Amino acid sequence: MSGGDKLDFEIRPNPQPVALAERDALMANPGFGRVFTDHMVTVRYAEGKGWYDARVEARAPIPMDPASAVLHYAQEIFEGLKAYRAVDGSVTMFRPDANAARFAESARRMAMPPLPQQVFLDSLRHLIEIDRAWLPNTEEGSLYLRPFMFANEVFLGVRPSNEYLYVLIGSPVDSYFARGVQPVNVWVSPTYTRAAPGGTGEAKCGGNYAASLAAQAEASEHGCEQVVFLDAAERKYVDELTGMNIFFVYDDGSLVTPPLGGTILQGITRDSVMTLARAAGRTVVERPVAFDQWQADVASGRLREVFACGTAAVITPIGVVRHPDGEFSIADGRPGEVTMGLRQNLVDLQRGRAEDVNGWIHRIR
């Protein structure tokens, strides 16, 4: 079947999977994004034909012509989500339908054909089923799933490509930050911005992350794990971090996060945090937060906790904020009660240990 919203996947098991002993050694300390499973999924697209040739096959290098469009015009998007080993032996995925929807929206922004949601979800299920043995069985461990799509038509010319390749790979991972769930230091960049109005800030495309790397190197020089980007227009308001959204927790228990407006990625974890917080009776407000006000609210004691959130790190407390004129700490650099409570609620949901009242969990038996 080809060209429709549902495809039949051809399953081609890897004839030379990683040996059991080697796999166990790799998974003993996988880190993040360094170890990969035996298989990958590929689906092709051609103008006039649609999506076709869906396969599960051995993970291998992708042949690429030097004139492939992605190498010259950067038509590329990706997603990130996780699969978890649940206590009942099943595998859970957290809101993969939301990732499918965002993947489609990113494609539209980058003038690419949206992958049908069912094809996206089926690709995840097939990879998990064939590489189930790669799922870690630790509290912080998970199988990180990386769907991506790029323009692979061979041509030189500024126009949308007529051919695309969708690929899904899997990586067993541990905690995103090497120190585990500890407060991170962040650097407020005085020079670089992440996105501007009318740009690609709300699309999950590689170019946004490439643009952040110089700022990330600057952050590392100042002993920080992440960058806080300010808005491009006024260099005044907080947008988001290198790869995560941000929340502020005030002394009345309310949460504030910068509003979406085209420059901030529509984080699925961000949306989940707002839903869980409101369900717990907390006030959640989306409004601009000026960096000067952030400092003032910390100094006055009104602002009690700040945390970042995203698929890779889930929820991470922010401890120290550094900027060209100095630094300040939040809650003496200790994890806050609200932050860690929300994190635990989210982790319990993701791993199937809590009641799924929102229908967020997709389970594979």
Side-chain angles (χ1 to χ4, degrees):
M1 186 184 300
S2 67
D5 290 343
K6 184 173 175 59
L7 298 178
D8 294 328
F9 283 74
E10 180 184 356
I11 311 298
R12 299 180 177 181
N14 189 335
Q16 294 182 308
V18 174
L20 176 60
E22 183 182 353
R23 187 180 69 212
D24 288 345
L26 289 169
M27 292 182 65
N29 182 25
F32 198 98
R34 295 187 290 108
V35 176
F36 299 94
T37 68
D38 290 311
H39 296 85
M40 66 183 187
V41 175
T42 59
V43 188
R44 297 182 180 278
Y45 177 92
E47 186 70 24
K49 185 174 183 178
W51 293 99
Y52 70 101
D53 196 17
R55 299 180 185 178
V56 179
E57 56 191 337
R59 183 181 178 276
I62 301 170
M64 183 175 290
D65 191 283
S68 294
V70 66
L71 300 177
H72 304 272
Y73 309 112
Q75 266 191 297
E76 181 271 348
I77 59 171
F78 70 97
E79 270 297 326
L81 64 158
K82 291 178 177 178
Y84 306 88
R85 191 181 295 276
V87 291
D88 64 358
S90 66
V91 177
T92 59
M93 285 187 291
F94 185 72
R95 303 187 68 183
D97 49 339
N99 289 96
R102 189 171 65 182
F103 195 66
E105 286 303 312
S106 293
R108 293 185 185 97
R109 177 61 185 86
M110 302 301 290
M112 304 167 76
L115 184 75
Q117 176 171 311
Q118 193 58 54
V119 176
F120 184 95
L121 295 175
D122 286 346
S123 74
L124 299 174
R125 176 176 57 82
H126 282 300
L127 187 67
I128 290 170
E129 288 176 345
I130 201 167
D131 281 338
R132 193 172 186 139
W134 287 91
L135 272 144
N137 196 23
T138 60
E139 180 59 24
E140 290 296 320
S142 60
L143 182 64
Y144 186 78
L145 300 164
R146 171 52 61 87
F148 62 99
M149 181 169 77
F150 63 91
N152 65 338
E153 183 183 359
V154 178
F155 82 100
L156 298 178
V158 184
R159 62 163 174 79
S161 175
N162 289 321
E163 297 176 15
Y164 297 89
L165 180 65
Y166 167 79
V167 185
L168 169 65
I169 57 176
S171 174
V173 298
D174 206 340
S175 178
Y176 182 70
F177 292 108
R179 296 187 295 116
V181 187
Q182 297 293 329
V184 296
N185 301 333
V186 298
W187 169 252
V188 181
S189 176
T191 307
Y192 301 101
T193 59
R194 179 185 171 275
T200 60
E202 65 181 356
K204 200 165 178 67
C205 61
N208 291 341
Y209 294 80
S212 74
L213 296 180
Q216 187 64 39
E218 188 179 70
S220 296
E221 292 172 0
H222 289 84
C224 296
E225 291 95 336
Q226 288 279 299
V227 178
V228 175
F229 288 102
L230 303 180
D231 74 289
E234 299 183 63
R235 305 291 182 93
K236 176 180 180 181
Y237 296 101
V238 175
D239 263 2
E240 62 175 292
L241 275 67
T242 311
M244 294 182 279
N245 298 117
I246 189 169
F247 280 85
F248 302 86
V249 183
Y250 287 85
D251 54 3
D252 61 358
S254 65
L255 277 69
V256 172
T257 191
L260 302 176
T263 63
I264 295 176
L265 185 68
Q266 300 182 38
I268 294 164
T269 307
R270 173 188 183 275
D271 180 72
S272 303
V273 166
M274 292 194 292
T275 301
L276 292 175
R278 285 169 176 150
R282 297 189 182 278
T283 299
V284 181
V285 179
E286 295 179 80
R287 64 168 172 80
V289 177
F291 179 59
D292 288 349
Q293 191 63 51
W294 179 358
Q295 295 182 81
D297 288 344
V298 168
S300 70
R302 285 193 62 234
L303 183 59
R304 298 296 176 82
E305 305 173 31
V306 182
F307 65 85
C309 67
T311 297
V314 189
I315 290 178
T316 299
I318 292 175
V320 176
V321 181
R322 295 191 173 122
H323 54 99
D325 297 322
E327 67 176 53
F328 58 92
S329 65
I330 301 158
D332 296 324
R334 298 189 304 270
E337 181 179 339
V338 175
T339 298
M340 299 310 291
L342 283 168
R343 187 183 197 281
Q344 191 60 56
N345 290 346
L346 198 54
V347 168
D348 287 344
L349 262 175
Q350 291 170 336
R351 297 179 180 274
R353 298 192 299 237
E355 184 181 3
D356 180 24
V357 297
N358 296 295
W360 286 342
I361 299 300
H362 287 225
R363 195 180 295 270
I364 299 173
R365 297 292 178 182

